Amino acid sequence: MKVLAIDTTEEGCSAALSLDGEVSQRFEHAPRRHSELILPMMDELLAEAGLRPAQLDGLAFARGPGAFTGVRIASAVIQGVALAADLPVAPVSSLRALAQRARRELGAERVLAAFDARMNELYWAACEADEAGQMQLSGQEQVLPAHALPLPDGDDWVGVGSGWQAYSEELAARMPGVSIHPGAFWNHAWDVATLGASWLASGKGVAAEQALPVYLRDQVAWKKTAS
Amino acid sequence: MCVIGIETSCDETGVALYDGERGLLGHQLYSQVALHAGYGGVVPELASRDHVRKLVPLLRGLLEQVGLEHDAISGVAYTAGPGLAGALLVGAALGRSLAWAWDVPAIGVHHMEGHLLAPMLEPAPPAFPFVALLVSGGHTQLVEVAGIGRYRLLGQSVDDAAGEAFDKTAKMLGLGYPGGPVLAARAERGDPTRFRFPRPMTDRPGLDFSFSGLKTFALTTLQRESAGLGGAELEQLKDDIARAFEDAVVDTLAIKCRRALEASGVDTLVLAGGVSANRRLQARVDLMMAERGGRACYPRAEFCTDNGAMIAYAGWQRLHAGQHEGLSFDIRPRWPMESLPAV
């Protein structure tokens, strides 16, 4: 299966091409440069493999949660390709993709993925590896302040993502048993490709118009009340 | 050459197909006006969220309407600015990736150039050179147009855009949001002789505009005259204020247009942008141009406001001339029109 995946969720920008599970990737830490970098990355990957978009089996993108603008860039770019080349799309949770990277690089089995959601909140998900080694959400993705986050059951949890940096003291005090990955740990499209390929293989790919962002934070404006 | 145009700079999602030989093949528009009405203005984040939901269905609808297969399309144009950054990014990202996957060239279009060229889609298009009045909720500019991409800014609003002044005054009169067109309708019932509002900045040389004072003038008039009034009398007062306000805006715009034509020595005036659909403004400049022995041109009403057709047309002009973008899709929320390359 040939899958092209992208991630522009936070400060990282990446594209990955998975050819029957063999993954090649472009990644840059590039805050606010997603619109400049993402298509050249996609173009390079396909050129190296000697493929045109229409020869792919499907597309995958990190559909959020994350920075609104970044998530929308990934969504709109994938919509354009899916519409043009008539390809199915796997919208992949960006938190799950981060957990999958922790599984791939750190060998973690149980991951608490957290992004800094600003406004004193975090995007948050607990993920556990299934028998196939893929991270699955246990419970729901949420946007919450640090003091309201659900405490994980059991031990061996690994904390990754910008949320653990932004709220390090609060989180360490609240969840002392969690092993926190130090330093920056951004999403990689590699893991979006891995999770997306499974989704597509199971026939659940969606059409271009359904390749939509998931923001979690849906209250972004307040109606004026008549005075 | 057949070019798809995508417009997402503010609160309208527009798409269109323009063909160099056959002209405009089709266009589709989705307006977010109802979405923003409850907030008293455009909420940028909500606008962006709506564009990303509506764009693909509109594009599919367009291709179905026109009955074209993908391979008939030879270029993609998207609005790259000026406008709301998040909203622009949706159209730019989708437009650029569409072009990449189709392997056709793409171009980022200047929204105001789109407006300025919109009258070219009409049966008797204006010939260069001309003077254009770009007048909308976001802009009030007088531009000398020598050709495509050859623009000289002659004057602009130093505060509110004319359309913005219409909307704010309407809001103040309790006519809702966006109330510009409602205000114009109420003005039709107003007595033109009851009040006379100032014509701002017409008592001195120059081609700049100022409309924020008119809104205040309308407010003080309302406060002064409405004491003890109710029912039909109060409504008549609002009609009369609406009329005085509209007459002042229309007159001011016409005076500055006349000065711009005199300074440029041309005899064609182009009106574009949402306010150019205003009937009194059209009648006023038609009369003025007839007296001068010249001609006024404006787009059909649906192309006065934001639309995909004007972006497809402007994009076609530039792509046809060999201009195109790389794979990066930069947006330019602030983008002086004078910096555009000539065609």
Side-chain angles (χ1 to χ4, degrees), chain B:
Chain B
M1 182 177 218
C2 181
V3 172
I4 210 158
I6 297 174
E7 156 64 28
T8 63
S9 67
C10 190
D11 60 345
E12 320 270 355
T13 318
V15 299
L17 267 167
Y18 181 84
D19 182 277
E21 283 165 18
R22 292 180 290 164
L24 185 67
L25 300 181
H27 68 99
Q28 303 247 331
L29 185 83
Y30 177 83
S31 172
Q32 304 177 355
V33 166
L35 171 70
H36 301 289
Y39 301 95
V42 176
V43 182
E45 177 60 22
L46 293 183
S48 305
R49 289 185 178 201
D50 212 40
H51 287 307
V52 84
R53 279 192 296 264
K54 297 294 176 1
L55 209 35
V56 171
L58 275 182
L59 285 165
R60 284 206 204 275
L62 174 70
L63 293 170
E64 200 171 308
Q65 173 197 0
V66 172
L68 270 187
E69 290 302 318
H70 292 169
D71 53 11
I73 294 160
S74 41
V76 178
Y78 53 85
T79 306
L84 302 171
L88 288 166
L89 263 175
V90 173
L94 202 149
R96 191 64 198 86
S97 67
L98 198 59
W100 173 72
W102 276 336
D103 197 20
V104 298
I107 185 95
V109 169
H110 192 291
H111 180 78
M112 299 312 290
E113 175 172 71
H115 274 304
L116 190 144
L117 298 179
M120 299 287 191
L121 292 164
E122 301 307 326
F128 300 114
F130 56 74
V131 164
L133 173 69
L134 300 173
V135 60
S136 68
H139 304 268
T140 305
Q141 297 183 331
L142 273 165
V143 183
E144 186 180 78
V145 181
I148 291 171
R150 296 169 64 201
Y151 309 128
R152 192 161 72 91
L153 183 65
L154 301 172
Q156 61 186 327
S157 178
V158 297
D159 43 53
D160 289 354
E164 190 180 359
F166 263 92
D167 286 340
K168 286 180 174 174
T169 303
K171 199 168 172 177
M172 207 187 66
L173 292 174
L175 305 180
Y177 169 88
V182 181
L183 185 141
R186 294 287 295 259
E188 291 305 303
R189 301 203 292 263
D191 174 358
T193 62
R194 181 165 173 195
F195 303 113
R196 185 181 161 82
F197 284 17
R199 274 58 173 156
M201 295 179 76
T202 55
D203 58 350
R204 70 199 85 165
L207 295 168
D208 285 339
F209 305 91
S210 166
F211 291 112
S212 68
L214 274 180
K215 168 191 71 194
T216 313
F217 203 91
L219 176 64
T220 50
T221 306
L222 179 70
Q223 287 168 341
R224 191 185 64 232
E225 303 284 332
S226 64
L229 290 190
E233 281 180 331
L234 182 60
E235 294 312 306
Q236 186 59 51
L237 173 65
K238 289 183 180 181
D239 292 346
D240 296 343
I241 289 173
R243 181 57 188 266
F245 171 85
E246 186 182 55
D247 281 350
V249 173
V250 166
D251 212 29
T252 303
L253 291 171
I255 289 166
K256 300 280 175 166
C257 284
R258 193 181 65 226
R259 284 188 195 171
L261 290 162
E262 280 163 3
S264 307
V266 302
D267 58 6
T268 305
L269 176 66
V270 162
L271 297 188
V275 179
S276 68
N278 181 284
R279 287 212 206 115
R280 287 200 174 271
L281 178 62
Q282 290 185 354
R284 179 80 163 76
V285 299
D286 277 342
L287 184 66
M288 179 178 83
M289 294 313 290
E291 284 169 5
R292 293 179 58 85
R295 193 174 151 229
C297 302
Y298 27 80
R300 71 193 84 163
E302 61 183 335
F303 295 163
C304 286
T305 43
D306 293 351
N307 64 87
M310 66 186 197
I311 302 304
Y313 179 78
W316 181 90
Q317 287 289 346
R318 294 192 171 274
L319 288 166
H320 186 66
Q323 298 178 10
H324 58 85
E325 313 272 347
L327 287 176
S328 301
F329 44 94
D330 291 329
I331 53 142
R332 283 147 273 187
R334 293 171 192 281
W335 188 9
M337 198 158 60
E338 285 171 306
S339 69
L340 292 173
V343 167

Side-chain angles (χ1 to χ4, degrees), chain A residues 192-216:
Chain A
V192 178
T194 304
L195 296 172
S198 302
W199 177 271
L200 292 164
S202 66
K204 290 190 282 191
V206 299
E209 48 269 66
Q210 299 305 322
L212 293 170
V214 169
Y215 302 103
L216 293 190

